[in-house]
Amino acid sequence: MMNEYPRTRFYFPNNAVILFFSAGIFALIIAACSSSQPIQSSANEFAVGADTVALKKPASEKVENWVLREAPEQFLRPRTWNLQHQKIWVRFDYDREAVLGETELLLTSISNTNSTLILDGKTMEIHGVYDVINSRPLDVVQDSSTITLDFDTVYSAGDTIIVRIEYTAFPPKRGLYFVNADGSDDSKPTQVWTLGQPEDNSFWLPTIDHPAERTTQETWISVRDEFQTLSNGALIESKVLPGDSLRTDYWYMDRPHAPYLFALAVGEYEIFEELVDGVVLKYYTESQFAPYYSTIYRDTDDMLRYFTDKLGVEYPWSFYAQAPVHEFIASGMENTTATLLFDRVQITERQSMDVDFQDLIAHELIHQWFGNLVTCKDWANLPLNEGFANYFETLYRNHRNGPESAAWKALTDRQNYFREADSYRRPVISNRYFEPEDMYDRHTYEKAGQILRMLHHLVGEEHWWGALNRLLTDYEYTAIDWRDVQKVFEQETGLVLTNFFHQWYKTPGHPNIKVTTTYSNGSAYVKLEQTQSLEHQIIFDLDLDIHYFDDVGNTLIQSVNFNTADSTYVIDDPKGKIGELVVDPERVILAQYSEDLNPNELISRLAHPSVMLRFEATMGLAPLLENAEQKERIVSTLKDAFAAEMVPELRETIFAVLTPHMDDSWEGFLHGLTIDNEPFYRNRMRAASLSLQHIGLQGNEYINSLLNDPSYYVERHVNRIITEFHEQELEPQEEQ
């Protein structure tokens, strides 16, 4: 699931956030991109020049405010029955926003002394429970979350029962959701949809709501004829049954999956299909967006082929559908074969010039392997599901968009985690939470994804894909935990990975690494210090790559193992000509780095091949703009960097750094940012705001030209700021 933080916060797609940095946001960005650990000094450190820029405060001034998140240990109810197959019949009472349901569960005993069955069922009235095999009613005991059946027979392992339940569910905005149920709101359609993760399907359906459960499924959904439906598996039949006014759609899921992945959606849709390598892809849209379905879901076919080819494992199911729903509480949910997405994915061709949902669509699709084919055993191991999905967003970007787009995604994920880590830290794999929903945070998503990025780098390309193939084939249609992932990587590589998995998954925090580099007599001395607080964190065992250039510009790499509080490494060059040296320039290791860099070194890094270092250099130069002696030179340098930079979001970052220092003398720069030479729409929007602020509206041909900008977002923004400009002109002025 592409989840929210909290759930009600919307996820914005790549290139979709309209962000103008206020002073507060700008300060936050600077703080986020630099190390949270101070630079320390000692008599033994190499001398630093007087013009060095200290990006962080001395250690004595640093206070770490984060806390170790504490919560009670949680253990899921032990499984005593195997749910083999579940049949579901539902129809809806829109007036009461209720589910009128029946379900039949085929279960096999795991225990040799089984006389009780506990099902999950919340906010529902039970009208009857029946033993189907013996044709008799059963007594039940119901509380707020479970339905308990006591049998007068003791079942042994392998014995089978079939239980039928008739019920009415009243889901309280959990599990199943009605949208505009009475049809009174003309701004949105009438819809019904579900979201079961983590344990919410039992708000509308009695089942065993456990992530390690696996079952096949049949679903009958009865709806008015104007509605289309979606559920797991294949739509086998659609007809009006004798004596019924509703149409019933019959869906069949022939392969086992977890009950939290059960799903349905009901609404007025147009549906488009294509066959890709034997898989039926189905695209749902509301009618007004039907002409744009291939734009909305673009690259789905390429993602399917890429994931299948790289993993060496065929798509596990026969169908894959995607449907948008209104008022969705997440960005997307990877229900098996039936992904639901928030309705904002529906965009027009014009909007698609500037925004896309590539990350979201890739995230939910790869979950069909990682999350659905293999599933976390419990919610402590949810970061396995979400970490793979998060990192595969980056991998697909690298495939489709190129390495710099992938690097920017990795940078963004790192910063999202680091910001959360400023508040609290916890082990990524942890059963300490109050509710399973507490696991939906940056540790589960971004940090877990960055752990896999480190693992990929550690084992190499061939072993990475080989291990994933082992994981998916050895554990298909089963549940896993982090030890299973460690096991397959050790089998694939022959490495002992105990330290790696324990320190990154089972201990909280991350390293802060201070780097001090000096050059003497043709050698480079690299001093590394782990400066993180050790109250709740460890000294990490790290394999770091040190990059440097030789005398003709070739990149050389020396790998070192760094597992102490501080170590110094010597790099010799026989020619005595070591060029710029950088530790971990691609920021593979999930560490916050701090360095004392002078202005010349920062300026040099603006041209470094690493997107990460160019971003950090931009942020490092920002404070120098407050220095009158440095300002002119830094401004000129950043303008040149802006012109040369090809990563759109990094261009925007440079623009944001320069923005507070612009005035009417920047007219030529601002008015040069047109669709012809500035393809990134957010930079044209920023330029429009600054032009209006510094140049004014009268005679401003640039502002007028943007009223016809190809970008819908630019045109809308310019119309808005012009309206606000006129409104301010009409406001009465206070008397002096």
Side-chain angles (χ1 to χ4, degrees), residues 639-656:
K639 286 175 71 174
D640 290 342
F642 178 87
E645 184 56 61
M646 300 301 293
V647 177
E649 297 89 348
L650 186 46
R651 284 170 61 83
E652 181 184 28
T653 303
I654 298 170
F655 199 174

Side-chain angles (χ1 to χ4, degrees), residues 303-485:
M303 293 174 189
L304 182 70
R305 292 189 178 103
Y306 172 72
F307 296 155
T308 299
D309 177 65
K310 299 301 287 187
L311 293 169
V313 176
E314 294 296 322
Y315 177 75
W317 327 96
S318 299
F319 294 84
Y320 185 63
Q322 299 172 87
V325 295
H326 285 254
E327 300 180 5
F328 206 42
I329 61 171
S331 306
M333 177 61 207
E334 67 277 7
N335 313 297
T336 311
T337 76
T339 284
L340 299 184
L341 304 166
F342 70 163
D343 68 290
R344 284 203 239 175
V345 299
Q346 297 182 110
I347 55 175
T348 66
E349 196 73 33
R350 186 183 181 194
Q351 289 173 305
S352 74
M353 294 173 56
D354 300 317
V355 303
D356 68 64
F357 294 87
Q358 181 188 91
D359 291 338
L360 173 59
I361 291 173
H363 183 108
E364 305 307 340
L365 178 55
I366 194 61
H367 265 314
Q368 300 298 317
W369 285 269
F370 298 100
N372 299 8
L373 179 61
V374 295
T375 309
C376 58
K377 283 183 179 177
D378 52 31
W379 302 122
N381 284 277
L382 179 65
L384 300 180
N385 290 15
E386 300 303 341
F388 277 113
N390 174 275
Y391 183 47
F392 266 80
E393 297 172 39
T394 302
L395 291 175
Y396 186 73
R397 278 203 190 197
N398 187 68
H399 160 76
R400 190 72 175 87
N401 307 346
E404 292 204 321
S405 175
W408 186 264
K409 173 66 168 58
L411 185 154
T412 302
D413 287 346
R414 288 166 59 86
Q415 300 308 325
N416 284 340
Y417 160 68
F418 287 145
R419 279 193 289 273
E420 181 172 271
D422 282 343
S423 299
Y424 73 87
R425 302 178 190 183
R426 65 171 178 83
V428 170
I429 304 293
S430 173
N431 68 340
R432 290 189 176 275
Y433 52 82
F434 291 97
E435 300 289 342
E437 287 83 358
D438 295 343
M439 292 296 292
Y440 295 112
D441 63 4
R442 304 294 186 185
H443 288 66
T444 288
Y445 286 77
E446 284 92 335
K447 184 176 183 181
Q450 290 300 296
I451 291 171
L452 293 173
R453 181 170 176 252
M454 289 188 286
L455 183 59
H456 188 172
H457 180 77
L458 176 65
V459 303
E461 187 77 356
E462 181 179 353
H463 288 315
W464 165 259
W465 295 111
L468 296 190
N469 179 275
R470 282 176 182 256
L471 182 67
L472 294 170
T473 54
D474 290 356
Y475 295 95
E476 64 177 1
Y477 304 111
T478 62
I480 63 171
D481 65 17
W482 64 277
R483 298 175 189 85
D484 299 316
V485 179

Side-chain angles (χ1 to χ4, degrees), residues 26-59:
F26 178 64
L28 176 62
I29 291 175
I30 293 175
C33 76
S34 54
S35 169
S36 69
Q37 181 67 24
I39 293 172
Q40 300 178 358
S41 60
S42 73
N44 296 325
E45 286 189 351
F46 302 111
V48 178
D51 59 349
T52 293
V53 178
L55 297 183
K56 300 303 295 182
K57 296 179 180 179

